[in-house]
Amino acid sequence: MNTPLSWIRDYVPALDCTAKEYADKMTLAGTKVESFEVLDKNLKNIVVGRLMKVEPHPDATKLVVCQVNVGDVRADGVDDNGNVQIVTGASNITPEVIGALVPVVLDGGKVAGGHDGGALPEDGIEIHTGSLRGVTSYGMMCSVEELGSDHNAYPLAPESGIYIFDDALISELSLKPGDSAIYAFGMDDTVVEYEITSNRVDCYSVIGIAREAAAVFDKPFIMPKVEESGSDEDVHDFLKVTVADAELCPRYTARMVKNIRFAPSPEWMQKRLRNAGIRPINNLVDITNFVMLEYGQPMHAFDYDTLSGHEIVVKTAADNDQFQTLDGQMRALDHTVLMINDGEKAIGIAGIMGGENSKITENVKNVVFESANFNGVNIRLSAKKIGLRTDASSIFEKGLDPANTVQAVNRACELVEELDCGEVVGGMVDIYPEPETEKRIKFEPDRINSLLGTSISKEEMLAIFRKLELVYDESSNEVIIPSFRRDLLATCDLAEEVLRFHGYDKIEDTLPVGEATTGKLSWKLRVDAAVRDTAEYAGFNHAMTYAFESPKAFDLLGIPADDPLRRAVVISNPLGEDFSIMRTQPLNAMLTALSFNFNHRNENVWLYDMANIYLPKALPLTELPDEREQLCLAGYGDNIDFYVLKGVIEEIFARLGMKERYELKTDAQRPYFHPGRKADIYYGGKLIGYMGEIHPATAERYDFKQGARVYLAVLDMPVVTEFASFDRRYEGVARFPAVSRDISMLVPKNVMAGDIEHILLQRGGKLMESFSLFDIYEGLQVKAGFKSMAYALTFRAKDHTLTDDEINSAMKKILNGLGGLGCELRS
């Protein structure tokens, strides 16, 4: 929300403060000022001048020498008659425009920027007397860009030339040479930008902000007095309105204007709109924009002569209806979208945008002003559903005051008459079947003080309420809430108002009261934290990736067309095709991040992410998808390979107390992995994740150079969490000695280390304290189809010293088990 400070002063005339004071006090009172811009901060010594003479430059074909009268202003180069010599190359300054009024910056003055509309210097540009091809120029005539504006605000200004004041502006402001051009342009103002919370819908208007400013500075607030105007005719003789759904349209107000006369708006209105960031167009359009800014009530104008049956019907659309909006787009509708219709067809989407079939053109003769109140939730859902969010819908969706519709439409009609834009028809269509009841809140000063931790008197609270137009009913001890304060619903809201105007800075420090409770992380968060800590301890850096993804990811990964992973949730209003679905796997995002690092010459990169994936239970969606968190570990470089990644996973299992044996099954059907370097990970009989080296073809599609090896592992956290345990049992220092045995054997190549270690644990029983693989070899000395593996075994009993018989018995069981795997002891 942007408001010119001068517009605020229209309703709070006694407001006398600097822009900085205004911003600080408004922010402290809860109406946060995001920033403010003093429009003339870089403008100085710029006046209105009259072109008296235009002559060719004696030594330059593209320059002219002008004599400009600046009235009583005195500066370097201005003679006793008020004339000053200025040299310019502007193409629109010719003898034909002699007598025109133009903005002139004199010696020592400043302009905001260059005539080309480029980036504005922070401190403006100083103008000094200078010589152009041997002729002295004592200043400069200005374009709109040099005055800090642009062609969006002044569409009639020349594209490359000096701004010439038009006759209407001269007449309205009685401009003459020597007057301030800064004032004539409306640049003697400050524009304030606010951050308004969605519950304060009243502050999405100049009047609402002015009410706040009056209360903050304790100054009188003067509400515009608007009288219902119009001819002796009755609008009901011209227009019939029917509201079929009063729940979605609580109030519908309409008035009619005949014999529309288009013309530019007066300068005072154009200044207000320009400084608020809206381009003036013509009197009719400007009136609706002005009222929307002033009252915060969006309005729409329909061409009366295009309304079939001269009738308006407010009702919902039918499923599968199509409607073309003013922007030329066809919109798909359903039975939840509220429409404005005439006697035969839809002519607008309520609260969002009008239709192409009823737009206002230059040939319009009669218009209907619509000022309605719509259900905010329905407007928000409808705008989202049809993919069209407008300035109007963004206001309507917050829930407006139904009483505002009458004030706004009457204000628009008053301006129509004031600007001689047309003839207002008498009367008003006002359909309001269920008027809102008066809202009251019990006044409990003790409770308010208890909530705030203050001792504010009842009298001070009531004084604050009076400033805010809240009425106290002493007989019932209730505070009557005005309809425009939609946010005040309970005592806690009244307490907030008291605190805002009493002053947050006046609250004294107090110790907290109440019983302390022990907080802790949920089980899932404890598991997640342990996994993150382990990954970071192992050397992985946390990567943050998007849940939105491109459908192209499936092709990049080489996922088959019939793979369930391709069944993704499609986003209805995506940022673009690259963010149009919810991801069903974490691989693409992680490989994209690795590729970015690889192509920026980062040599060794290890990344991890706790990424959510979204697996739909049915398409189209009938319920929320299965949202699963998955740990993704990935990396490339000299220090990572399949076994390093496997070791990190084992470290995670150990940290989570997962002591059972896990299995790696190499028959996994995952086309993005190298066929000989991949595995599915099983724990407790459940698929818990997968890992492997990325297939060279997949790596190439992600722009990894040939030969680069990329490794990736994924753990499904919901399943991991099932098996996690943080229970730990303390065991004292061993009292009895350990016994070591080494075992060296020939092992078939298809037998994995995990199979052997399973035998060692199973057959070693309680006596097996630990084991470690200390040698593995394949070569000429080992017979074909086998590999040599050697383990160090450690045995220990907790309650006695082991005997040879016990050790030999355990070793015999182990050797029998290994023999079943095809292993042979080496001599």
Side-chain angles (χ1 to χ4, degrees), residues 19 22-24 26-27 31-36 192-195:
Y22 177 85
D24 289 345
M26 291 291 282
T27 298
T31 306
K32 183 183 178 185
V33 173
E34 190 73 17
S35 64
F36 64 87
V192 183
E193 179 185 0
Y194 308 86
E195 182 183 322

Side-chain angles (χ1 to χ4, degrees), residues 31-256:
T31 306
K32 183 183 178 185
V33 173
E34 190 73 17
S35 64
F36 64 87
E37 180 185 6
V38 180
L39 299 182
D40 60 352
K41 65 178 180 179
N42 293 332
L43 303 178
K44 178 184 175 184
N45 208 14
I46 305 176
V47 299
V48 176
R50 187 183 301 280
L51 276 170
M52 306 301 292
K53 187 184 294 186
V54 179
E55 297 178 329
H57 191 287
D59 196 27
T61 58
K62 293 186 178 181
L63 299 178
V64 292
V65 181
C66 305
Q67 299 298 322
V68 184
N69 185 272
V70 292
D72 297 332
V73 177
R74 290 295 170 257
D76 185 31
V78 180
D79 63 23
D80 294 340
N81 296 320
N83 294 323
V84 62
Q85 179 173 286
I86 296 177
V87 180
T88 182
S91 59
N92 66 326
I93 300 302
T94 64
E96 285 75 18
V97 296
I98 289 176
L101 295 184
V102 295
V104 178
V105 57
L106 299 173
D107 179 67
K110 288 173 65 176
V111 293
H115 70 276
D116 59 356
L120 301 181
E122 185 175 348
D123 298 320
I125 301 173
E126 289 194 7
I127 303 299
H128 296 285
T129 298
S131 177
L132 280 77
R133 300 293 292 271
V135 178
T136 304
S137 181
Y138 295 96
M140 183 179 76
M141 292 177 283
C142 303
S143 65
V144 292
E145 289 84 4
E146 287 158 338
L147 290 167
S149 190
D150 55 36
H151 281 78
N152 186 52
Y154 290 88
L156 298 181
E159 285 292 334
S160 178
I162 304 304
Y163 181 77
I164 297 176
F165 290 105
D166 61 66
D167 293 339
L169 177 59
I170 295 170
S171 174
E172 183 177 340
L173 299 181
S174 301
L175 287 184
K176 62 183 185 301
D179 287 347
S180 169
I182 297 173
Y183 167 77
F185 268 81
M187 304 297 284
D188 57 335
D189 204 348
T190 299
V191 177
V192 183
E193 179 185 0
Y194 308 86
E195 182 183 322
I196 306 296
T197 54
S198 58
N199 65 317
R200 287 304 305 273
V201 67
D202 58 303
C203 287
Y204 283 87
S205 67
V206 178
I207 287 177
I209 294 291
R211 272 199 184 99
E212 283 289 300
V216 169
F217 290 90
D218 201 15
K219 302 294 183 182
F221 169 71
I222 301 175
M223 182 73 180
K225 292 183 179 180
V226 180
E227 301 293 338
E228 185 175 338
S229 56
S231 65
D232 294 335
E233 297 176 296
D234 187 351
V235 67
H236 295 89
D237 296 333
F238 296 86
L239 181 69
K240 178 184 176 183
V241 178
T242 304
V243 176
D245 195 327
E247 182 179 349
L248 298 185
C249 179
R251 190 170 194 176
Y252 192 94
T253 306
R255 295 199 65 182
M256 183 176 169

Side-chain angles (χ1 to χ4, degrees), residues 273-290:
L273 295 175
R274 278 195 294 261
N275 290 350
I278 293 181
R279 179 171 67 93
I281 297 175
N282 59 51
N283 49 8
L284 184 65
V285 175
D286 292 351
I287 285 170
T288 58
N289 286 333
F290 184 89

Side-chain angles (χ1 to χ4, degrees), residues 680-714:
D680 280 349
I681 306 169
Y682 283 83
Y683 188 94
K686 289 187 177 182
L687 177 64
I688 202 170
Y690 51 90
M691 61 178 294
E693 179 185 325
I694 296 299
H695 195 290
T698 304
E700 185 177 347
R701 288 194 290 270
Y702 279 93
D703 293 330
F704 290 96
K705 71 178 182 182
Q706 190 172 7
R709 290 191 167 187
V710 184
Y711 298 90
L712 189 146
V714 174

Side-chain angles (χ1 to χ4, degrees), residues 478-730:
E478 291 176 321
V479 179
I480 303 173
I481 309 301
S483 62
F484 60 82
R485 288 303 302 268
R486 317 296 291 175
D487 59 310
L488 301 184
L489 303 172
T491 299
C492 58
D493 300 316
L494 293 181
E496 182 181 6
E497 298 304 295
V498 169
L499 186 56
R500 286 203 301 132
F501 290 95
H502 173 74
Y504 292 105
D505 54 327
K506 296 179 183 178
I507 302 299
E508 296 181 0
D509 295 339
T510 58
L511 291 173
V513 295
E515 297 180 0
T517 58
T518 303
K520 64 178 181 179
L521 294 176
S522 66
W523 179 253
K524 174 188 177 301
L525 293 180
R526 288 181 64 193
V527 172
D528 286 354
V531 170
R532 281 196 297 269
D533 288 347
T534 307
E536 290 170 6
Y537 174 79
F540 287 85
N541 293 299
H542 195 180
M544 303 293 288
T545 59
Y546 291 113
F548 299 161
E549 200 161 70
S550 169
K552 298 175 183 175
F554 303 124
D555 296 328
L556 289 172
L557 293 168
I559 294 175
D562 59 347
D563 194 292
L565 288 179
R566 285 186 177 262
R567 299 179 68 248
V569 177
V570 179
I571 300 168
S572 59
N573 56 341
L575 298 174
E577 185 184 2
D578 289 344
F579 304 94
S580 61
I581 63 171
M582 303 297 290
R583 64 182 171 195
T584 58
Q585 39 66 37
L587 310 176
N588 175 66
M590 191 59 79
L591 289 174
T592 301
L594 287 177
S595 173
F596 179 87
N597 280 274
F598 183 87
N599 288 291
H600 281 73
R601 302 182 184 277
N602 291 329
E603 294 182 358
N604 296 285
V605 177
W606 296 17
L607 300 177
Y608 83 93
D609 189 17
M610 301 289 277
N612 283 352
I613 64 169
Y614 303 84
L615 305 175
K617 300 172 185 175
L619 287 177
L621 286 178
T622 56
E623 56 182 314
L624 291 176
D626 182 13
E627 183 176 347
R628 303 186 70 82
E629 183 181 59
Q630 295 195 331
L631 168 69
C632 185
L633 302 167
Y636 65 81
D638 299 333
N639 302 319
I640 190 171
D641 58 22
F642 185 92
Y643 297 104
V644 168
L645 201 58
K646 176 173 172 284
V648 174
I649 291 173
E650 290 176 351
E651 188 70 25
I652 290 173
F653 288 169
R655 176 69 184 275
L656 297 179
M658 298 168 63
K659 299 179 180 179
E660 293 183 25
R661 176 177 178 260
Y662 69 91
E663 294 182 81
L664 295 181
K665 295 187 177 181
T666 58
D667 57 352
Q669 300 300 313
R670 301 187 186 273
Y672 34 82
F673 282 144
H674 190 292
R677 301 166 190 159
K678 59 181 173 63
D680 280 349
I681 306 169
Y682 283 83
Y683 188 94
K686 289 187 177 182
L687 177 64
I688 202 170
Y690 51 90
M691 61 178 294
E693 179 185 325
I694 296 299
H695 195 290
T698 304
E700 185 177 347
R701 288 194 290 270
Y702 279 93
D703 293 330
F704 290 96
K705 71 178 182 182
Q706 190 172 7
R709 290 191 167 187
V710 184
Y711 298 90
L712 189 146
V714 174
L715 292 179
D716 192 39
M717 292 307 298
V719 183
V720 170
T721 305
E722 290 180 25
F723 295 107
S725 171
F726 293 110
D727 293 339
R728 299 291 186 269
R729 183 185 294 265
Y730 170 76

Side-chain angles (χ1 to χ4, degrees), residues 425-444:
V425 174
M428 174 193 305
V429 176
D430 184 14
I431 300 179
Y432 195 16
E434 297 182 15
E436 284 191 347
T437 56
E438 190 175 65
K439 187 165 51 177
R440 291 169 171 257
I441 301 174
K442 187 178 181 181
F443 180 43
E444 301 174 285

